[in-house]
């Protein structure tokens, strides 16, 4: 079986598992948790595109996640309040007139479009300002991290506009459905799963295109690409904006699934956790990034349920073990195992186990997508 057909078969199998098996065996509560994991997987997919394929270590993805989430939440709060009324938290905060910023979000079309366009536009502006100055590597990572911290500080300080520390919560009607009903939770799950599948296919196609090959070339040798006549700043800005748009979509879907968006979900720590998830899954593989987003958040829930006082240490241990034993992440380790099996079948001696981590990392860099 060729690699193309093998990839199609694997995608079909995963799609059946997510769309058929999971809804049949999981209760509404667990299905809702899985929907939340898939929201984070969408954000991780964007990081896989920006970091894995483009070499841009972004530690502020929570900003774009929050922009999308607040866009959706603002519409839901206005819809619950009804025409001419203020959202409940504004009444409690002493706000007497609806802020001008909120008025366009009375339209669901505008809110959905803003959840995608605003994060993408913010990332594009930031990218043009930063990448033209040839800021990259650790400097770009620190800058994006500082942006996340500043964004959270601003949200917390705007009690009457954003809900402050509490954020926006208590949504009673989500596009005509009661979010607490089991049927609504199943519907939200299918929407998130289908959006994730569509974005994965689009990202995979982008990576396999000429632009995707150019993006990898910028990652591996930005100065060389510049000498060839291309503008790396433009290439990186487009990829960064696409990554931000995915984070915005993830945030918009997260709001009806979980029922809240608050600054605690958007700061430095949540942004770093997304990067850790991609590293665990395998940053050089789009499928690995998605897997990491699900795996880390599943571990978060499982460890916190079983070991309430020590789950953070177990989560950290999982990250350390993956980085030590498989620098290419889970996807890199799986690829190494598959190549080793192929060599055994061909009668060629596979690399030693001690060199497996290095081999997985090296081979992971050659993968544009999986």
């Amino acid at each position: 079986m060729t690699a193309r057909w093998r990839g199609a078969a694997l995608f079909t199998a995963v799609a059946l598992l997510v769309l058929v098996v999971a809804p049949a065996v999981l209760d509404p509560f667990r299905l809702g948790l899985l929907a939340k994991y898939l929201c984070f997987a969408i954000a991780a997919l964007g990081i896989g595109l920006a970091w894995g394929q483009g070499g841009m270590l972004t530690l502020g993805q929570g900003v774009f996640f929050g922009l999308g989430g607040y866009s959706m939440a603002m519409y839901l709060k206005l819809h619950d309040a009804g025409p001419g009324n203020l959202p409940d938290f504004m009444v409690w905060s002493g706000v007497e007139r609806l802020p001008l910023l909120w008025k366009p979000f009375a339209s669901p079309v505008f809110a959905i479009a803003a959840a995608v366009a605003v994060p993408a536009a913010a990332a594009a502006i930031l990218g043009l300002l930063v990448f033209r100055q040839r800021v990259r590597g650790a400097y770009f990572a620190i800058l994006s991290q500082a942006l996340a911290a500043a964004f959270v500080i601003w949200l917390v300080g705007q009690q009457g506009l954003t809900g402050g520390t509490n954020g926006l919560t208590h949504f009673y009607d989500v596009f005509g459905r009661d979010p607490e009903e089991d049927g609504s939770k199943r519907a939200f799950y299918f929407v998130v799963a289908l959006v994730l599948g569509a974005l994965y296919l689009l990202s995979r196609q982008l990576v396999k295109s000429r632009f995707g090959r150019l993006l990898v070339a910028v990652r591996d040798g930005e100065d060389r690409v510049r000498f060839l006549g291309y503008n790396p700043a433009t290439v990186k800005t487009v990829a960064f904006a696409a990554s931000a748009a995915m984070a915005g979509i993830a945030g918009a879907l997260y709001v009806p699934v979980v029922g809240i968006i608050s600054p605690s979900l958007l700061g430095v720590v949540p942004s770093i956790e997304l990067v850790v998830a991609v590293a665990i899954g395998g940053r050089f593989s789009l499928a690995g990034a998605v897997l990491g987003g699900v795996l880390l958040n599943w571990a978060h829930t499982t460890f916190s349920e079983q070991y309430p006082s020590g789950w953070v240490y177990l989560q950290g241990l999982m990250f350390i073990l993956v980085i030590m034993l498989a620098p290419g992440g889970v996807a890199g380790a799986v690829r190494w195992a598959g190549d080793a099996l192929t060599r055994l079948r061909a009668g060629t001696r596979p690399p030693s186990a001690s060199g497996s981590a290095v081999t997985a990392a090296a081979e992971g860099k050659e993968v544009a997508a999986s």
Side-chain angles (χ1 to χ4, degrees):
M1 183 183 293
T2 64
R4 179 180 179 182
W5 288 107
R6 186 164 56 246
L10 180 60
F11 179 82
T12 302
V14 173
L16 291 175
L17 178 65
V18 172
L19 295 175
V20 178
V21 178
V25 301
L26 296 178
D27 59 71
F29 174 74
R30 295 295 172 182
L31 196 65
L33 285 179
L34 182 55
K36 182 176 74 170
Y37 304 159
L38 296 183
C39 290
F40 287 123
I42 293 174
L45 177 64
I47 295 177
L49 179 65
W51 182 33
Q53 308 302 317
M56 294 168 282
L57 177 56
T58 170
L59 299 180
Q61 209 71 354
V63 173
F64 309 121
F65 185 92
L67 289 173
Y70 272 92
S71 295
M72 178 60 68
M74 289 164 70
Y75 161 71
L76 295 178
K77 294 301 290 184
L78 289 174
H79 180 71
D80 286 341
N85 298 320
L86 294 176
D88 49 11
F89 77 93
M90 289 188 182
V91 176
W92 304 334
S93 301
V95 177
E96 299 180 353
R97 183 178 300 176
L98 186 68
L100 183 62
L101 177 65
W102 275 70
K103 292 184 178 180
F105 290 92
S107 167
V109 175
F110 181 89
I112 294 173
V116 181
V118 172
I125 294 172
L126 178 64
L128 289 174
L129 294 175
V130 171
F131 297 138
R132 284 185 177 180
Q133 301 300 320
R134 303 187 184 182
V135 176
R136 54 188 175 184
Y139 300 101
F140 174 73
I142 294 173
L143 179 63
S144 63
Q145 188 178 63
L147 180 64
F151 184 59
V152 169
I153 293 173
W154 180 81
L155 289 174
V156 172
Q158 302 295 319
Q159 175 67 40
L161 185 66
T162 65
T165 304
N166 296 324
L168 303 180
T169 184
H170 297 116
F171 309 112
Y172 302 104
D173 187 334
V174 179
F175 295 101
R177 304 188 69 100
D178 182 354
E180 298 300 325
E181 292 182 352
D182 293 346
S184 298
K185 293 180 180 179
R186 292 177 64 87
F188 296 156
Y189 169 80
F190 281 111
V191 170
V192 174
L194 291 173
V195 170
L196 173 58
L199 289 176
Y200 172 78
L201 292 176
L202 287 174
S203 300
R204 190 169 182 270
Q205 188 62 34
L206 179 65
V207 168
K208 287 183 173 294
S209 67
R210 180 181 178 183
F211 175 83
R213 294 192 294 271
L214 184 58
L215 181 63
V216 173
V218 170
R219 178 197 69 190
D220 295 338
E222 182 173 334
D223 293 332
R224 186 175 299 178
V225 171
R226 184 178 293 107
F227 294 149
L228 290 175
Y230 294 97
N231 187 353
T234 302
V235 177
K236 295 168 71 173
T237 298
V238 171
F240 187 43
S243 172
M246 291 184 199
I249 294 171
L253 293 172
Y254 182 90
V255 169
V257 167
V258 181
I260 186 174
I261 187 72
S262 69
S264 62
L265 300 168
L266 319 175
V268 173
V269 173
S271 297
I272 293 178
E273 286 182 345
L274 285 172
V275 174
V276 169
V278 175
I280 289 175
R283 73 182 182 98
F284 297 111
S285 167
L286 296 178
V290 172
L291 175 63
V294 174
L295 183 61
L296 181 67
N297 286 280
W298 169 83
H300 186 162
T301 301
T302 303
F303 292 158
S304 61
E305 288 178 346
Q306 300 296 325
Y307 309 99
S309 60
W311 66 269
V312 175
Y313 301 103
L314 293 174
Q315 194 176 36
L317 178 62
M318 181 181 70
F319 173 63
I320 293 172
L321 290 176
V322 170
I323 296 302
M324 289 179 60
L325 302 178
V330 175
V334 170
R335 180 177 176 81
W336 173 85
D339 290 346
L341 182 61
T342 301
R343 294 189 187 97
L344 286 175
R345 289 177 177 175
T348 304
R349 184 177 179 181
S352 62
S354 61
S356 62
V358 177
T359 303
E363 291 178 345
K365 291 184 178 181
E366 298 175 0
V367 181
S370 64

